[in-house]
Amino acid sequence: MANSNRNRNDRNYALDKFDADVSSSPKKGSQSKRPKKGGFAAAVFPTSRDSGAEKARKVILIFAVAALIGTVAFLVWQITSMNKGGEVNSSLASIAGVSTPSSSSSYSQPAHIAHPSPSIATSAGTRVPEEIDLTPVIDSPLNIGWEPLKEINSDIKAWISLTGTQLNNPVVQTTDNSYYLDHDFYGNESISGTVFSTYLNDWNDPNDKNKILFGHNMANGDFFAYVMHYVPDDDYAEPLSFYKTHPTIQMATPEGGNAVYKIFAGIIANTESQYGEVFDYITKTRFDSADDFNNYIIEIMDRSWFFTDVDLTYGDELLTLSTCYWPIDRTVDTRWVVFARKVRDGEDPSVNTAVAERNYQAKLFDYYYEVLERYEGWQGSVWDRSKLLSY
């Protein structure tokens, strides 16, 4: 949730004030120009001899230099903090006995994430028609060493992994949804935070059917940065290439072993009512009836930016991954949310990704339609409801 780019191009700092100030008629016999009393300090800081305009110029200069120093210091702190978060992740993976690709300064989010544009939800593009290898990755079961992790932090509830990426993290939970936004697994303050479950989840209740996890979208690829790769990239001939190569995610728990979840939807969620409807996905951890479950899935699928071959039915266990995303601008607080359902007992964990397709009629919110100049709004459901077996 933390990137800052501030450029300072104004270098017109009236450098002449650092030059010597001499009389236009030097005294006879003088060998050189003599500097004005006060030297550097008088040139930079306001003095009683300065005019009002000169004092204002110096004050502006001081504030400009202070802002530049502050910006550089902030960027250094951010980079250092992100690197520290990556080091913590690698350390925890080693303690847990799992391997993970190391954090890399060369990591970059997809171009459509780094330079988001509302046009990505309007029409297909084929600017890059090259052939892409869409072979899905093969998951290796997670065998987590839980005891050393519990000794470090008793808040641990699970371990989540997206094969072949840096998303390979412990999942924690506490009594609110704010603490682990800025604290790491060891309890230290951290810009990266920790992947955490909503406090509403009851990990010991079999009727708790939707584990909702939050993680920061870090610029170095850590935590939920790779969740953003599920945003369709319409600059490519295959907008769903990342989904088609990573259609599943794994989550292990101390009590329940290792489970595979099939990803079935991805949505953009508005969080502020001033911009239109707010879809409440962050509190739905259980379902009272088949109708309750069906209605929730319908709301998700109407908003999904892609459709898959994954079917759903009342009684399925869901996994929800939420992270920050600003496709309009950073003043509009939105989230990218990916939904998956647990592989059922005896079910083939593989997914037929060949039939997955981009949805260009996803249900959005009022302000997004205004930005897109699509004032007519949503045109209705277009997904195959036969995939909802309990409907």
Side-chain angles (χ1 to χ4, degrees):
M1 301 180 180
N3 283 311
S4 175
N5 289 312
R6 299 181 58 188
N7 296 321
R8 185 158 292 282
N9 298 317
D10 187 4
R11 296 181 178 274
N12 298 318
Y13 291 152
L15 297 179
D16 58 294
K17 301 309 296 182
F18 291 90
D19 294 336
D21 185 6
V22 297
S23 168
S24 58
S25 300
K27 293 181 180 179
K28 184 177 180 180
S30 62
Q31 299 299 315
S32 62
K33 298 179 180 179
R34 299 180 62 84
K36 181 179 178 180
K37 288 185 178 181
F40 176 82
V44 175
F45 298 99
T47 69
S48 59
R49 295 190 296 269
D50 291 335
S51 65
E54 180 67 3
K55 288 179 180 179
R57 184 197 68 79
K58 290 181 177 180
V59 169
I60 292 173
L61 171 60
I62 292 169
F63 275 105
V65 172
L68 178 60
I69 293 173
T71 299
V72 171
F74 180 71
L75 290 173
V76 170
W77 172 75
Q78 278 196 319
I79 294 171
T80 301
S81 297
M82 283 192 294
N83 290 339
K84 178 65 175 178
E87 292 171 2
V88 169
N89 285 344
S90 297
S91 172
L92 292 173
S94 178
I95 292 171
V98 296
S99 61
T100 184
S102 60
S103 299
S104 173
S105 59
S106 64
Y107 169 83
S108 61
Q109 291 181 328
H112 66 293
I113 305 302
H115 307 286
S117 166
S119 65
I120 65 175
T122 59
S123 61
T126 55
R127 184 176 61 82
V128 185
E130 72 273 11
E131 184 176 348
I132 303 173
D133 183 3
L134 299 178
T135 304
V137 297
I138 299 175
D139 293 323
S140 298
L142 298 173
N143 295 303
I144 307 299
W146 295 107
E147 292 310 313
L149 295 173
K150 290 179 180 179
E151 290 177 4
I152 297 171
N153 190 339
S154 61
D155 287 343
I156 188 167
K157 297 297 180 182
W159 190 281
I160 188 168
S161 175
L162 182 60
T163 300
T165 76
Q166 292 161 220
L167 203 175
N168 195 31
N169 301 95
V171 177
V172 292
Q173 181 191 45
T174 188
T175 55
D176 62 64
N177 283 352
S178 61
Y179 180 78
Y180 282 112
L181 284 171
D182 54 15
H183 286 81
D184 66 19
F185 189 78
Y186 291 90
N188 300 317
E189 290 190 4
S190 167
I191 189 176
S192 303
T194 310
V195 175
F196 66 94
S197 160
T198 176
Y199 72 94
L200 296 172
N201 279 134
D202 185 343
W203 288 77
N204 298 315
D205 185 352
N207 293 317
D208 188 307
K209 295 293 188 179
N210 183 18
K211 298 301 186 289
I212 304 172
L213 310 186
F214 303 92
H216 286 309
N217 169 21
M218 302 305 294
N220 66 346
D222 284 323
F223 299 98
F224 275 9
Y226 276 93
V227 173
M228 294 307 307
H229 288 249
Y230 288 102
V231 177
D233 189 343
D234 293 320
D235 282 340
Y236 287 81
E238 178 44 76
L240 302 179
S241 58
F242 190 79
Y243 165 76
K244 290 189 174 184
T245 53
H246 298 81
T248 60
I249 192 164
Q250 294 186 94
M251 188 168 70
T253 59
E255 300 79 16
N258 183 75
V260 176
Y261 291 76
K262 297 182 176 183
I263 293 168
F264 65 86
I267 74 170
I268 180 172
N270 172 39
T271 67
E272 300 178 84
S273 58
Q274 62 179 310
Y275 296 116
E277 181 190 17
V278 176
F279 174 49
D280 182 20
Y281 70 91
I282 64 173
T283 62
K284 198 66 174 176
T285 61
R286 60 186 62 223
F287 306 98
D288 298 328
S289 64
D291 285 344
D292 188 24
F293 176 83
N294 292 342
N295 290 335
Y296 184 67
I297 297 301
I298 289 170
E299 291 289 344
I300 292 172
M301 296 308 302
D302 284 345
R303 292 168 170 80
S304 183
W305 286 26
F306 56 86
F307 301 139
T308 76
D309 193 42
V310 179
D311 58 24
L312 297 112
T313 191
Y314 177 54
D316 281 338
E317 295 182 46
L318 305 183
L319 177 63
T320 300
L321 311 179
S322 176
T323 195
C324 291
Y325 177 39
W326 303 276
I328 301 175
D329 61 56
R330 288 180 178 268
T331 65
V332 183
D333 192 28
T334 51
R335 302 287 184 270
W336 174 251
V337 191
V338 168
F339 299 87
R341 71 123 170 109
K342 187 177 180 180
V343 171
R344 304 170 191 130
D345 290 343
E347 181 187 11
D348 185 347
S350 64
V351 180
N352 181 11
T353 59
V355 299
E357 59 181 337
R358 176 75 163 91
N359 177 24
Y360 293 98
Q361 301 182 54
K363 186 177 183 180
L364 301 169
F365 50 93
D366 293 343
Y367 187 66
Y368 207 118
Y369 287 122
E370 293 176 15
V371 172
L372 291 174
E373 298 183 353
R374 289 171 55 187
Y375 297 101
E376 70 275 12
W378 184 54
Q379 300 300 299
S381 294
V382 294
W383 60 283
D384 181 5
R385 294 202 180 187
S386 69
K387 292 295 181 184
L388 183 52
L389 305 181
S390 53
Y391 182 65

